[in-house]
Amino acid sequence: MRISARADYAVRAALQLAASRDEGPVKAEAIAEAQDIPHKFLEGILNDMRRSGLVLSQRGGNGGYRLARPAGEITIADVIRAVDGPLVSVRGVRPPDLSYTGPAQSLLPLWIALRSNVREILEGVSLADVASAQLPAEVCALTEAPAAWTNP
């Protein structure tokens, strides 16, 4: 699985909003500066997140962005889907819409299993979990294997 720059920036922006929830709306410029995200790119990301119902925008001198729901109710999967679409696709197609024949027939259950595991992790972690550095035990356990930190 590849996490796009757009998805990475979106999650970081959402985390910045989660951390700033008591300060009122946060200007896009402040988010961009705090997370080192190109401002113009961030504006598009915030618009996608607004259209997906994850953030609210407020105009005016005291305007900016804020999360539409509590950070504990927004998963990392929600944010990624808002800006990139489905979590797992093969050639831009969702796994259930694929079909294979012959020796490749077993690929479909492999892609479905991959999607299931990606969902389990990303839907099981909220913005609040990450912002508070309190990742679920299941996620932490996956990082304990030394091979998890190496690139084959």
Side-chain angles (χ1 to χ4, degrees):
M1 180 178 171
R2 184 181 152 282
I3 304 293
S4 70
R6 188 171 182 78
D8 179 58
Y9 289 162
V11 171
R12 289 168 42 202
L15 289 168
Q16 192 68 40
L17 292 173
S20 305
R21 69 185 173 275
D22 297 331
E23 301 168 19
V26 181
K27 296 193 179 305
E29 296 85 6
I31 298 168
E33 184 177 324
Q35 290 298 319
D36 195 27
I37 300 171
H39 179 257
K40 282 287 198 188
F41 198 43
L42 178 62
E43 286 287 348
I45 289 167
L46 289 168
N47 280 330
D48 286 345
M49 292 171 61
R50 183 184 49 77
R51 281 190 293 274
S52 294
L54 298 180
V55 300
L56 300 173
S57 61
Q58 179 178 322
R59 293 182 180 216
N62 293 327
Y65 294 88
R66 62 186 170 87
L67 294 177
R69 308 189 301 269
E73 295 177 14
I74 300 173
T75 69
I76 301 301
D78 294 332
V79 178
I80 293 172
R81 284 185 185 117
V83 298
D84 272 355
L87 296 176
V88 175
S89 64
V90 178
R91 301 180 328 265
V93 178
R94 293 176 183 204
D97 297 331
L98 298 168
S99 64
Y100 296 98
T101 60
Q105 198 167 9
S106 293
L107 275 177
L108 184 56
L110 177 64
W111 299 152
I112 296 293
L114 173 69
R115 182 176 74 159
S116 177
N117 279 330
V118 168
R119 278 181 171 173
E120 185 175 340
I121 292 169
L122 296 179
E123 289 176 351
V125 179
S126 72
L127 292 175
D129 295 333
V130 179
S132 67
Q134 299 292 316
L135 296 176
E138 304 82 31
V139 172
C140 292
L142 291 170
T143 68
E144 292 173 6
W149 295 92
T150 61
N151 295 322

